[in-house]
Each structure stands twice: as C-alpha cells, then as structure tokens.
Amino acid sequence: MEYKDDMRRLIDIVKKLSFEAPLEQTLDDLKTLSTATHDLTDRIEMRVRKSLQPADKPKSKKPKKAKQLKVRPFPWVTPPPSPPQKALPTANPVAASAISAGDYERIRQDFTSKQNALAPIKPSPPLAN
C-alpha cells in the first residue's frame, strides 16, 4: 500500500509542477515518469508471463531424435504423363534485333541528306548579256 501512495504523490507533484516549473524541466520530469512507468509495466508483464508458464522441467541428457519412416514407392501406381507444353500465343511476336553498323550508316546518310536539303541556296554567277 505504501508504494501505491508514493506513486500517487509523485504523480501529483509532477502535475503540480507542470504549471509552475519551466517548460524544459516539465518535459524532463515527464520523460522520467514515462520511462519509470514503461519499466514498471515491463516488469509486471514479465512476472505475469512467468506465473502463467509451468515450471521448467529438467532437460534430458540426449535429445530424442524423431524416427524416420522409410517410404516405399507403390509399384502398381505410375504417375500420369505430363502434357506437352505449348507456346502461348501472343499478340506481338517477340523479335530480337540488334543495331548494326549498316543501320548507323543509314541514319547518318538520312541526317546529312536532310541537313543538305535545308542548306542555303548558293548564288549563281550572273548571266552574260
């Protein structure tokens, strides 16, 4: 009963000081109280868990190994034949292609021909009269 009263007094003191003490001290007190409450909760939870578990039995010297059963195949049962797998139809057939040197050459020629088409017109020499 004494601990319960001490805890309540401590909570009342922290509440009272929260209005009067500087904010930094109030936050520090709150953290301390929160940590103490968390520790107390953990201890009580551990006691409850231990009280719910039966007492540990002494361990035997050798752990028992599970017996392995030998599985014998059934000679009169044969697995069904697996159906042959067919290729799935696709809307767009997959075609792998690589860029070759000829592709680069065609792109270069196309670019230079377009560039030449946009070149300014060279003036021609005047006609002789």
Side-chain angles (χ1 to χ4, degrees), residues 8-27:
R8 286 189 181 165
R9 279 191 217 133
L10 182 60
I11 292 171
D12 289 339
I13 292 171
V14 171
K15 278 185 183 179
K16 190 176 190 181
L17 288 177
S18 68
F19 294 111
E20 301 167 0
L23 185 60
E24 188 174 322
Q25 181 184 347
T26 304
L27 287 174

Side-chain angles (χ1 to χ4, degrees), residues 56-85:
D56 291 336
K57 296 179 183 177
K59 295 182 179 179
S60 61
K61 292 180 182 178
K62 286 186 177 180
K64 295 180 181 178
K65 293 183 180 179
K67 293 182 180 179
Q68 293 181 352
L69 298 175
K70 293 182 180 179
V71 180
R72 288 183 274 158
F74 298 107
W76 60 86
V77 178
T78 58
S82 60
Q85 294 193 359

Side-chain angles (χ1 to χ4, degrees), residues 18-128:
S18 68
F19 294 111
E20 301 167 0
L23 185 60
E24 188 174 322
Q25 181 184 347
T26 304
L27 287 174
D28 190 43
D29 292 344
L30 183 62
K31 285 180 185 177
T32 304
L33 186 62
S34 178
T35 303
T37 307
H38 187 283
D39 291 345
L40 183 62
T41 304
D42 288 347
R43 288 179 185 174
I44 292 172
E45 192 174 308
M46 187 177 292
R47 284 180 58 192
V48 169
R49 268 194 251 135
K50 282 185 178 181
S51 69
L52 294 177
Q53 292 177 351
D56 291 336
K57 296 179 183 177
K59 295 182 179 179
S60 61
K61 292 180 182 178
K62 286 186 177 180
K64 295 180 181 178
K65 293 183 180 179
K67 293 182 180 179
Q68 293 181 352
L69 298 175
K70 293 182 180 179
V71 180
R72 288 183 274 158
F74 298 107
W76 60 86
V77 178
T78 58
S82 60
Q85 294 193 359
K86 299 177 183 176
L88 297 173
T90 58
N92 298 329
V94 179
S97 63
I99 298 176
S100 65
D103 294 331
Y104 284 120
E105 186 61 29
R106 278 190 294 271
I107 292 171
R108 188 183 66 75
Q109 286 177 356
D110 184 43
F111 178 73
T112 54
S113 66
K114 286 180 182 177
Q115 201 172 26
N116 288 338
L118 296 175
I121 301 171
K122 295 180 184 176
S124 57
L127 296 173

